[in-house]
Amino acid sequence: MAGRTLYDKLWDSHLVKQNSDGSSLIYIDRHVIHEVTSPQAFEGLRLANRKPWRLDTNIATPDHNISTDKSERDAGVAGMTDEVSRIQVQTLDDNCDLYGIKEFKINEMGQGIVHVMGPELGATMPGMTVVCGDSHTATHGALACLAHGIGTSEVEHVLATQCLVAKKMKNMRVTVDGTVGAGVTPKDVVLAIIGKIGTAGGNEHAIEFAGSVFRDMSIEGRMTVCNMAIEAGARCGYINPDEVTYAYLAGRDHAPAAESWDAATTWWDG
């Protein structure tokens, strides 16, 4: 039997149904929701008289419409000067309150960029399938999970069923060994890769970033690389778990603890 990539293992372990036309149904472990792509999805649930199926797998936060102006931010939703932004954030608050979904609201600890707050909270972990209504959800792949963006209708589908209709991608491994020079950042590394394979080089692929250059990066650096897999045409990018991954996750709010932590790291190593 040929060796299996991390992507193969994650796909197989989350596969619910394989259809004859090549499409599949996969289970989703973590769904991250924000204010831009969720209002229509929640409205679709209401029109169909449905409710989210598993509340504990969903986390939400306002992100794209939050001002960096401190005085406006301190005033909360009511202080948002842009009407469309205010409506979208208020709608997210209302929907999460209605259905009981955990939301990190505008001035709560934990609120932040959707691709950053998940890892920082330990809500993104190795072995997970992670989706969000944003194309750069691939960022989470730095934590050794299968993560990619979805559309608004898919946000509704995941809310209602905790599953996603998908087609398995091809595998691509990008190995970079050696030591980067002074001043060379993770973004420089991934831009160099894109320069070689092109902005469509990763089309229909899940890209595994491997080699000493990526092993030597911090989780933040790995997040930058996986985020930009999208700019190479891939839907997702990921890096296999290692001690850097575990050191980053240890002690975070949603990460396993005590005996559960030992069991988790043993499973992740497999």
Side-chain angles (χ1 to χ4, degrees), residues 167-207:
K167 185 176 181 180
K168 189 176 182 184
M169 294 170 271
K170 302 173 185 177
N171 283 295
M172 177 187 293
R173 184 178 187 182
V174 175
T175 303
V176 185
D177 286 315
T179 303
V180 298
V184 177
T185 69
K187 187 173 183 179
D188 294 324
V189 174
V190 71
L191 283 173
I193 294 167
I194 295 170
K196 286 186 177 295
I197 69 174
T199 55
N203 283 6
E204 300 183 1
H205 288 81
I207 299 180

Side-chain angles (χ1 to χ4, degrees), residues 256-267:
E259 293 85 359
S260 296
W261 173 258
D262 294 335
T265 54
T266 298
W267 185 72

Side-chain angles (χ1 to χ4, degrees), residues 135-156:
S135 62
H136 287 96
T137 305
T139 307
H140 300 254
L143 278 298
C145 57
L146 170 54
H148 56 74
I150 57 176
T152 297
S153 61
E154 292 172 312
V155 172
E156 179 184 347

Side-chain angles (χ1 to χ4, degrees), residues 225-266:
V225 170
C226 292
N227 176 291
M228 293 189 66
I230 305 306
E231 314 308 331
R235 197 176 184 193
C236 69
Y238 66 89
I239 295 172
N240 283 292
D242 58 16
E243 291 306 316
V244 175
T245 316
Y246 304 157
Y248 178 88
L249 286 171
R252 295 189 182 269
D253 289 350
H254 289 73
E259 293 85 359
S260 296
W261 173 258
D262 294 335
T265 54
T266 298

Side-chain angles (χ1 to χ4, degrees), residues 12-264:
D12 291 346
S13 64
H14 290 83
L15 183 63
V16 175
K17 183 179 180 181
Q18 177 74 54
N19 299 314
S20 58
D21 63 358
S23 66
S24 301
L25 197 66
I26 61 170
Y27 186 80
I28 300 302
D29 296 310
R30 179 70 69 201
H31 185 198
V32 186
I33 304 165
H34 61 83
E35 77 279 17
V36 178
T37 54
S38 67
Q40 187 176 342
F42 279 112
E43 182 64 16
L45 288 182
R46 281 190 286 272
L47 291 174
N49 196 29
R50 292 178 172 174
K51 295 180 179 180
W53 186 56
R54 280 200 61 191
L55 296 178
D56 60 325
T57 63
N58 296 277
I59 57 172
T61 193
D63 172 3
H64 299 73
N65 288 309
I66 301 300
S67 175
T68 56
D69 180 86
K70 187 176 185 302
S71 60
E72 181 176 335
R73 187 185 181 100
D74 288 347
V77 179
M80 299 180 71
T81 56
D82 182 84
E83 182 180 7
V84 173
S85 296
R86 185 175 64 253
I87 291 172
Q88 286 188 328
V89 174
Q90 185 62 60
T91 301
L92 177 66
D93 290 355
D94 293 344
N95 282 324
C96 289
D97 289 344
L98 174 64
Y99 291 110
I101 291 173
K102 175 58 182 175
E103 179 193 3
F104 297 89
K105 296 185 178 181
I106 184 170
N107 285 319
E108 289 184 11
M109 289 294 293
Q111 184 277 329
I113 298 169
V114 287
H115 314 312
V116 177
M117 53 87 77
E120 285 185 342
L121 291 168
T124 300
M125 289 181 284
M128 279 186 164
T129 48
V130 180
V131 295
C132 173
D134 189 294
S135 62
H136 287 96
T137 305
T139 307
H140 300 254
L143 278 298
C145 57
L146 170 54
H148 56 74
I150 57 176
T152 297
S153 61
E154 292 172 312
V155 172
E156 179 184 347
H157 190 267
V158 173
L159 283 169
T161 68
Q162 207 56 43
C163 290
L164 178 71
V165 176
K167 185 176 181 180
K168 189 176 182 184
M169 294 170 271
K170 302 173 185 177
N171 283 295
M172 177 187 293
R173 184 178 187 182
V174 175
T175 303
V176 185
D177 286 315
T179 303
V180 298
V184 177
T185 69
K187 187 173 183 179
D188 294 324
V189 174
V190 71
L191 283 173
I193 294 167
I194 295 170
K196 286 186 177 295
I197 69 174
T199 55
N203 283 6
E204 300 183 1
H205 288 81
I207 299 180
E208 174 187 341
F209 295 100
S212 61
V213 167
F214 301 112
R215 288 196 299 271
D216 291 342
M217 286 182 185
S218 65
I219 290 297
E220 290 79 6
R222 297 177 185 189
M223 288 168 66
T224 298
V225 170
C226 292
N227 176 291
M228 293 189 66
I230 305 306
E231 314 308 331
R235 197 176 184 193
C236 69
Y238 66 89
I239 295 172
N240 283 292
D242 58 16
E243 291 306 316
V244 175
T245 316
Y246 304 157
Y248 178 88
L249 286 171
R252 295 189 182 269
D253 289 350
H254 289 73
E259 293 85 359
S260 296
W261 173 258
D262 294 335

